[in-house]
Amino acid sequence: MLRNLKVQIAIALFVLLILGMCSITFVALVLWQKESLLRQTSQIQRSLKNAGRQLETSWDALPPGESFEVVERFFVEESLSCLYLLRDGRVGEAKISCGQPEKMKTLLFQTAGSGETVFQIARPQGLILRKPRFFTASLPLKKQGRIVGSIVVAGPLDTVFSHVFDGKGTLPVYLLVTALLFTTVGFFRMLKIVVRPLEKVVQIADNYRDSSDPASFINPQTGEFAQIAYRLKQMLKRIDTDNRQLRLTVEALQQSNDELKQARNEIVQAEKLASVGRMSAGLAHEVGNPLSIVKGYLELLEQQLAEQDDSVQYVSRAASEVERIEKIIRQLLDCARRPSIELVAVDLGVILEDLVGLFCQKGDNKEIGFQLDRPDVLPSVAADADSLRQVFLNCLLNSVDAVLEGNPEEGKIRVQILEKCTTNGERSLLVIIEDNGPGVDPEALNNLFDPFYTTKQPGKGTGLGLAVSYTLVKQFAGSISVRNREQGGFAVHIQIPVFVE
């Protein structure tokens, strides 16, 4: 695995090391050349000055022929090819193998005339390791401050480079061995730092790949990095697909959890209603019959006391309270019993228009603003007309009581009808009855459908209206929920399925 990559890394490291070491060697040779050239030119200038002092000291005592020997003694390490001496206006020549004698003689007279020391290096044309061929140096000779002659010497500079290029045969071997050594060390370090982790990534990608992954058809000659990139891309696609599937699963689980919560709440509510039903059946039997007898006696007593106004009033009040007890018992029975209701097509809009008009005409509600918002055309719902009317009546009565409890002059009750369509394509009508009253304590919202639970003052409510409404709406296969409005007030949402023939 990744065999081609290892070979490429080894070749790249070797080539880079060779290039780097050649560059370093070249720079070292150039610096060495300059340093050697500087040392030799300084030595030549010192030797020329020392020879000049010697000649100036023994100028009159030395014969012309020995003057050349004095100069040559100071240039033992340098090989002189030219030596010219100007003495008493005459030019003496000891060595003339450097060529260009006229140029040397001219320099000899110029030095004697100007009194300045001249040092020149002839540089050949070239780009790499430009090797100076020879040097030329001249020195005026003075006696008692007067120029009496001059010396010109010239010679090759090959000795500067003789030491540099003595080991030119072993230099390539040294570069090769060093490059191989560093290549080996660098190769194993790259294996540990780069190649081994990449092999693990490729192995992980291969293990993740399933049978439907087309990565098995990759051309192995496309390169390891291309294969890794492709396999990682396929793995990321699979991960993205798994993430989308996971999100769908989580959403489905969340929906199922919500449905389970709703079913649990319905079961709890049904158990509560069943308990109330069992209690109501016994209560209606044990209390209903005595109440009927009491009511009959009150009617007889009212007939006999027709002429006594005060007594008739007391009897009438007692009869109204008995009727109130009977009403509570009937509500208990309605809440507990589940009579078989035939679901027929009911015009929900007509029922709400009739109820809203009825509340608008009632004297206590004239200060309250009623509003009914509905589409011009509405489908019929599957329900029982009388039962549905009772549900809306209970909700409107609760809204009126809430508004009257707050500020009746600014009280508003709005009834809104909306057509809904579920994800399954089932249509239904949503009725929203909302008011701008004080609302309900959030902690009490979950208990509003419990029998006998009420937020009204004692004596103003039995706590059975919403419980009965809940039972009736469930018989229509609908739903009913309550909530506080964000802008203040209370709202009841009632959703009834559309009638399907």
Side-chain angles (χ1 to χ4, degrees):
M1 187 179 294
L2 302 183
R3 185 174 303 169
N4 294 335
L5 179 61
K6 296 176 183 178
V7 175
Q8 293 175 8
I9 290 176
I11 294 175
L13 285 175
F14 181 76
V15 172
L16 290 175
L17 285 172
I18 287 291
L19 292 177
M21 294 182 67
C22 289
S23 301
I24 294 173
T25 303
F26 171 75
V27 173
L29 288 176
V30 171
L31 295 177
W32 192 2
Q33 173 193 349
K34 290 184 178 180
E35 181 65 22
S36 299
L37 183 62
L38 181 61
R39 284 200 307 268
Q40 187 168 9
T41 55
S42 299
Q43 179 62 32
I44 291 172
Q45 291 175 1
R46 284 195 301 270
S47 299
L48 184 61
K49 289 180 181 179
N50 292 333
R53 289 194 203 97
Q54 184 66 32
L55 288 174
E56 291 172 352
T57 302
S58 59
W59 182 257
D60 295 331
L62 285 174
E66 295 182 4
S67 299
F68 294 109
E69 295 178 359
V70 171
V71 175
E72 288 180 347
R73 282 199 302 268
F74 286 95
F75 288 92
V76 176
E77 297 181 359
E78 292 80 12
S79 177
L80 294 180
S81 59
C82 293
L83 176 57
Y84 291 86
L85 176 63
L86 178 63
R87 181 173 182 173
D88 298 331
R90 290 179 297 178
V91 178
E93 302 176 358
K95 294 181 179 181
I96 57 174
S97 60
C98 62
Q100 298 181 345
E102 296 300 327
K103 184 177 179 180
M104 297 298 170
K105 293 178 181 179
T106 302
L107 179 61
L108 190 66
F109 283 102
Q110 288 178 351
T111 304
S114 63
E116 295 180 353
T117 301
V118 178
F119 187 87
Q120 298 175 345
I121 296 177
R123 296 181 180 273
Q125 300 295 324
L127 296 176
I128 300 177
L129 291 178
R130 299 176 61 185
K131 182 178 178 182
R133 293 299 183 185
F134 60 90
F135 71 91
T136 304
S138 65
L139 178 71
L141 300 176
K142 297 180 182 180
K143 184 179 181 181
Q144 296 178 355
R146 184 175 60 84
I147 298 175
V148 295
S150 61
I151 301 175
V152 173
V153 294
L157 291 174
D158 294 336
T159 56
V160 175
F161 301 93
S162 61
H163 300 295
V164 175
F165 292 101
D166 282 345
K168 61 182 179 181
T170 60
L171 183 60
V173 177
Y174 164 75
L175 292 177
L176 181 62
V177 172
T178 306
L180 288 174
L181 178 62
F182 281 102
T183 299
T184 303
V185 175
F187 175 73
F188 283 104
R189 289 298 298 169
M190 290 292 291
L191 281 181
K192 182 178 180 181
I193 297 174
V194 177
V195 179
R196 299 286 167 74
L198 286 178
E199 287 180 342
K200 292 181 180 179
V201 172
V202 173
Q203 185 177 4
I204 292 172
D206 287 338
N207 293 337
Y208 188 84
R209 187 178 59 205
D210 57 8
S211 58
S212 62
D213 191 352
S216 57
F217 300 100
I218 300 177
N219 186 358
Q221 298 180 355
T222 56
E224 286 78 6
F225 284 106
Q227 296 180 41
I228 293 172
Y230 182 83
R231 289 169 179 170
L232 288 178
K233 184 177 179 181
Q234 294 298 320
M235 184 172 65
L236 291 176
K237 285 183 178 179
R238 180 66 182 273
I239 291 174
D240 185 62
T241 303
D242 292 344
N243 286 337
R244 288 197 297 268
Q245 186 65 34
L246 181 61
R247 284 195 295 269
L248 293 176
T249 304
V250 171
E251 292 176 358
L253 289 175
Q254 184 64 38
Q255 183 177 0
S256 300
N257 188 36
D258 294 339
E259 293 176 355
L260 286 175
K261 288 182 179 179
Q262 183 178 358
R264 183 189 63 183
N265 294 333
E266 291 178 355
I267 292 174
V268 171
Q269 186 69 21
E271 182 63 28
K272 291 178 181 179
L273 294 177
S275 299
V276 173
R278 290 190 293 268
M279 180 189 69
S280 300
L283 183 63
H285 177 72
E286 297 296 334
V287 179
N289 293 334
L291 282 178
S292 299
I293 296 174
V294 171
K295 185 178 180 181
Y297 283 127
L298 288 174
E299 291 177 354
L300 293 175
L301 184 60
E302 185 178 5
Q303 294 175 1
Q304 294 178 3
L305 298 176
E307 298 179 356
Q308 301 179 15
D309 296 336
D310 294 338
S311 299
V312 172
Q313 186 178 3
Y314 298 147
V315 172
S316 177
R317 291 179 181 178
S320 64
E321 293 300 324
V322 171
E323 291 180 357
R324 181 171 177 273
I325 295 174
E326 286 184 338
K327 181 180 179 181
I328 294 173
I329 293 175
R330 285 196 301 270
Q331 288 181 343
L332 280 172
L333 292 175
D334 291 338
C335 182
R337 292 181 305 192
R338 290 180 176 266
S340 57
I341 297 178
E342 183 181 358
L343 300 181
V344 296
V346 178
D347 191 342
L348 181 146
V350 173
I351 295 176
L352 285 173
E353 286 180 355
D354 183 40
L355 287 175
V356 170
L358 180 64
F359 275 93
C360 289
Q361 297 175 1
K362 191 176 179 181
D364 297 340
N365 305 330
K366 289 184 178 180
E367 296 180 353
I368 302 175
F370 286 88
Q371 179 181 351
L372 175 61
D373 296 332
R374 53 156 296 175
D376 294 335
V377 179
L378 283 175
S380 300
V381 295
D384 176 73
D386 294 335
S387 300
L388 189 60
R389 182 182 181 88
Q390 183 179 355
V391 171
F392 293 147
L393 179 62
N394 291 336
C395 295
L396 286 171
L397 286 173
N398 289 335
S399 294
V400 170
D401 292 339
V403 170
L404 293 177
E405 183 181 350
N407 190 357
E409 290 80 7
E410 299 179 358
K412 294 182 180 179
I413 297 177
R414 181 189 181 192
V415 180
Q416 187 178 10
I417 305 175
L418 302 174
E419 188 170 356
K420 295 290 182 179
C421 185
T422 62
T423 56
N424 298 329
E426 298 178 354
R427 298 169 60 199
S428 62
L429 291 184
L430 175 63
V431 178
I432 303 176
I433 301 175
E434 55 187 9
D435 59 69
N436 62 346
V440 177
D441 186 356
E443 296 181 357
L445 287 176
N446 294 330
N447 301 322
L448 290 182
F449 295 111
D450 295 344
F452 302 109
Y453 185 87
T454 181
T455 59
K456 299 179 182 180
Q457 297 295 329
K460 293 186 177 180
T462 61
L464 294 172
L466 287 178
V468 172
S469 300
Y470 181 89
T471 302
L472 295 176
V473 170
K474 287 300 179 181
Q475 291 179 350
F476 306 150
S479 63
I480 179 171
S481 61
V482 293
R483 66 200 67 179
N484 284 320
R485 301 170 62 206
E486 293 182 359
Q487 60 272 34
F490 187 74
V492 180
H493 289 219
I494 304 168
Q495 192 163 350
I496 309 296
V498 171
F499 180 79
V500 178
E501 296 182 0

